[in-house]
Structures are given as C-alpha cells and as structure tokens.
Amino acid sequence: MSIYDTMSRSVKEVTENEGLVTMYCCGPTVYRDAHVGNLRTFLLADLIARTIVLTGLEVELIQNITDVGHMADDFQEDGAEGDKMLAESKRTNTDPFEIARRYEDRFHQDLARLNVIPADFYPKASENMPEMIAAIEELIANKSAYVGSDGSVYFDAASCASYGAISGNKLDSLKPGHRYEYTDEGGKKFHADWALWKVAGSRTQMIWDSPWGPGFPGWHIECSVMSINLLQAHVNLHVGGIDLRFPHHENERAQSNALTAQETVDTWVHGEHLLFEGRKMSKSAGNVVLLQDVIDRGLDPLSLRFSLLENRYRSQMDLSWASLEAAHTTLRRWRTAMAQWGSADDLKFDQEIIDALTNDLDTPRAMQRLRAIEKDSSLGALDKRAIFLFADQVLGLDLARAEIQKPLPPEIESLLTLRAEARANKDWSASDSLRVQLEDAGLEIKDGPTGQSWSWR
RNA sequence: GGUCGGGUGGCCGAGAGGCGAGGCAAGGGACUGCAAAUCCCUCUACACGGGUUCAAAUCCCGUCCCGACCUCCA
C-alpha cells in the first residue's frame, strides 16, 4: 500500500519489517466526548490498518489515551488554570481521573459503533509516568534537554538539526507574535523550546514526583515514549489529524529521534479536518456533532462511516445532515440488495477495489466501484454479493447485516391488523390514517399485490 | 505576514490534456385505491482574464474568492 507522507510530501510505499507494519495513532484527550471530526481521524487509522491487512501484512496498532491533560484550552473563562482535565473537573466537581475514565469508555463505545477495529493496545499517559521520566532523564543526559530557570525541563529545539521537516516551519519563523501574544513561561532559553516536564507550581491534582520535583509531563513526550516503548523504537506509520502536524508531531519527532538516534517514524500520515455545514467544528461555533447526535436523528451510525468513505482523507470535507441522510439511504439499499443476492459468505477478489484502496486510500473510488457493481447487469447476484463482502473487509459498513428486527409492540401489531382489515374493506381513509400512525411509530409501510408489509425505518 | 490546499450542475462531490463519474434533490413515466418502496427516462456545471497546445476542467501566468496550519485543537 502507498500513502501520502507529510514529511517527504509524496506518496510513498508503506514500510514493513518481516511482514509487520507498526502503526501509532494519536488518540483522544479524554476530557469530553469525541466529535465526528475526531472520529474521522480514528477511522483513518482503521482504514489504513484494514487495507494493509488485506494486502497480506500484519499490523500492530497503538493508540494512546491522553488522560493527563495539557495546556491552554477553551475553558479559559474560569481563570488561570489551563489544564483541560482539571478545568472540566472543577466545572463538574468531579475527580479528574473519574472524568478521564468516563470519556475513555465513551470513546471506545463510539469506535465500536463506527466499526473501528480496536487497536492492539491503548496506553494511558497516567500509567506511563516512570517511562516518561526516564526518557526525559535520557534527553537531558544526551544534551537534547535542559532544566530551565523555573525548574521545568525543556527540550532544546535547536539540538534537532532537521527541526521543521514535517511542518515546514523554520525555527526563525517561529518567533513569537505572529498570531498570539507571547505570554509563555519564562524558564526556557529559546522561544521554540518546549516543556518536557512542568513543575507543579500551585497545582495539587494530577501531579507526580520526579527528579525535578512534583509536576506533570508536557504534552508531546507521551507519544514519543509510548511509540518507542511499545513498537520496538520504530514506527512505520504515524497517523493523526492535520492540526497535530505542528507543533505536536514536529516536537514528537525531535524527541523520538533524539531518544532512538535514528529517524523513528517512516511515514507521517495526516487526516484533513472535517467541517460541519461549512465551518470547522468548535465549541464556539456551536456546531459540534457527536456520533450520538447522528443516532438520535434515527440514522445508522455507520452512515457517518459511509459519508466519510465518500471523501478522500486528505481533503477537507464538509459534512451535513443531508449527506448523512443520503448515506443512510444508500446503506439501507445496499443491505437490502445484499440479502436479495443470497446468503453465501464467499469473497470475490476485486482488483479495482484493491487498487483504489492501496493507492493512497482512495475510498471514494472504491465506493464508486461498488455502485457500478450494483448496477452491472452482466454480474450475477452471487458475484455481486461476494465482491461487496470483499470490499466490506475494509469499508466496514456491515453490508451483510440484516435490517434490525426489533420486536413489534402489541399495540403496533393491532394497528397493523386494523389496517389490513380496513384495506380488505376498501376503507381507504381509515387505512391512510392508520398508515400515518404507523409511520409516526417508526415503521415503513409498503402495500403490494399480496397485502401490506412493513419494516423499521 | 508565512506556509499549504481548494473553487466542477439546485446541493455534495470524482476526474487532472482529447468520451464532463457517481450520489442527493428536482421533473416525467411505470406500478399503486392513494401513497411508500422499486424500476425506467430527463435536465442543468468545470470562479474570472490571459497564455501554451491540433486539443485545456485538467498545464503555465495573473486576478478574485474560500478554507486550513503557524506553539489549545482530530
């Protein structure tokens, strides 16, 4: 499989080692629900991993859970405290670790509903404190980091000769003042340096002992440490959202390379942002959509997966309720068709689908191919089904799933009986009003030559 | 200000030198007691101005517009 590498700015063949591809995907900071934009990135890792597996390689995927929080946020209104987890903790008067656990559970639930195959391991920042401290000590020992005048530990950006290779940001051009007022802590020697360990200061929660006194780790170090420790110091594929390109991945790369004395990551993959109805999703814009919102609209959560598949991961995508509803409709149509095409579990290899997916994950082309197959009158039903099942190994749309048959409540059943009687008596007005009632209850009514039939909407 | 993407029918979106995918919506028809679903058919587009070329949505230059990133962010 080939995929676009942000650092070399080109589509590259995915590297492997004896048939194994190691992957790392930056996971959620668990202080709130993941919105559908976050899920787009997590889905990206899933699609890449599934495609690689389809080509006969193995994948080991690690996705971290950030439960320590990091600086600055959108809770600024409640004062100087800048940690997201702590701000949420204060706001809801809840233990910060309890918040983290709650949102971590919901994160896993969302992934399951989106048919994302779980990563091999979900390490937590809070459970890797000794490893992070050890890494920071190592960075100080090899002169990549120093203890600042405020007692915090900083990474020396200039010690990384190729700093800026991912984002294109030069150290000079990172001078403060372009966009933000520069009000940062004064402990570092150089404007582009960043904190590896922050001293606790007045903070009393979520702090750990360290050789530099009580404090907490900087945001970037956790990904370096976990990827190096869990993936044998070499990452074939590193996945994350486009906004992580800088500073997070730039800094992570500098740290990791200083720790392993080599280029730790072969390929940096970045997923573009998902907009909703024309605008970036954000709390302030008030257009944050959760997977639960999709479900609450009566849409299959996999409609979201379907919609996302219809766009290239490297393009900004504008999601809307109209597109989700269209996806829901097509998804149902495909499942119905699948059932009509038979019940065999056979898979039929399809070169066009493989080519599309392995060519920089061209999911729109794969989807288009399925639409063409659906309409192709020269293909038999069994072949169609087998090709759809083949594609679904990566697409993950549960195409073989029968439409849900939740039990019919007795009152609905009696309405159906009444309507059947009304129709037999050609009492059309009664029949029509009963149909409206049944539709309001969530059913879909069809009248055919053999009488009425129904299904859940 | 720096860097990077992009502007395709009513809407969403592929395509990247020579047939302008597909979906949604709309309109017409079949079917139906009427609908729904389904099936068939139909319409409409490559931001603007130059250039290169036998040929440009596609390449080049300019203009306008939109978005992203630039030490919070998927």
Side-chain angles (χ1 to χ4, degrees), chain A residues 117-365:
Chain A
I117 294 173
D120 294 282
F121 191 45
Y122 292 98
K124 292 179 198 138
S126 65
E127 294 174 357
N128 282 266
M129 222 35 84
E131 291 82 355
M132 283 194 251
I133 288 169
I136 296 169
E137 288 184 299
E138 203 178 323
L139 288 171
I140 293 174
N142 73 20
K143 307 267 190 266
S144 301
Y146 59 90
V147 178
S149 58
D150 58 353
S152 291
V153 182
Y154 295 94
F155 191 94
D156 176 6
S159 74
C160 177
S162 59
Y163 188 83
I166 298 176
S167 64
N169 283 328
K170 303 280 189 301
L171 285 174
D172 296 347
S173 66
L174 289 173
K175 289 234 165 66
H178 282 310
R179 211 172 89 149
Y180 292 107
E181 284 304 310
Y182 201 64
T183 58
D184 209 350
E185 62 280 278
K188 54 191 183 184
K189 296 176 183 167
F190 184 58
H191 63 84
D193 296 347
W194 64 90
L196 297 171
W197 187 266
K198 300 190 188 204
V199 288
S202 58
R203 190 187 285 219
T204 56
Q205 279 183 299
M206 293 194 122
I207 54 174
W208 289 262
D209 281 328
S210 82
W212 316 283
F216 55 100
W219 171 35
H220 314 298
I221 192 66
E222 69 174 90
C223 286
S224 287
V225 168
M226 295 180 190
S227 61
I228 289 170
N229 287 354
L230 296 166
L231 295 174
Q232 301 80 49
H234 193 80
V235 181
N236 294 118
L237 223 48
H238 194 305
V239 180
I242 188 73
D243 49 339
L244 261 39
R245 187 178 40 180
F246 186 87
H248 182 57
H249 289 159
E250 201 69 75
N251 294 358
E252 180 185 335
R253 173 174 174 267
Q255 295 164 358
S256 296
N257 290 1
L259 287 167
T260 64
Q262 58 165 332
E263 194 67 50
T264 309
V265 173
D266 287 340
T267 304
W268 293 92
V269 179
H270 289 107
E272 253 296 354
H273 274 299
L274 178 67
L275 312 181
F276 196 83
E277 298 190 331
R279 300 176 61 184
K280 181 171 168 176
M281 252 178 267
S282 69
K283 262 174 102 151
S284 53
N287 62 345
V288 172
V289 176
L290 308 180
L291 190 57
Q292 188 60 50
D293 297 329
V294 175
I295 294 166
D296 289 345
R297 286 223 174 193
L299 300 173
D300 189 310
L302 292 178
S303 310
L304 174 65
R305 187 166 175 125
F306 192 109
S307 294
L308 296 172
L309 285 167
E310 290 201 288
N311 291 70
R312 202 76 183 265
Y313 75 95
R314 260 193 306 137
S315 306
Q316 267 178 33
M317 168 183 179
D318 188 13
L319 191 70
S320 64
W321 289 118
S323 57
L324 284 168
E325 277 155 19
H328 180 78
T329 304
T330 308
L331 190 55
R332 288 193 61 202
R333 191 181 77 225
W334 279 2
R335 287 183 183 147
T336 305
M338 283 290 278
Q340 288 166 352
W341 291 336
S343 56
D345 294 328
D346 299 329
L347 303 177
K348 187 175 162 70
F349 179 87
D350 186 85
Q351 190 65 47
E352 281 189 45
I353 286 171
I354 281 284
D355 288 349
L357 294 172
T358 55
N359 173 25
D360 198 15
L361 201 66
D362 194 346
T363 54
R365 184 180 285 265

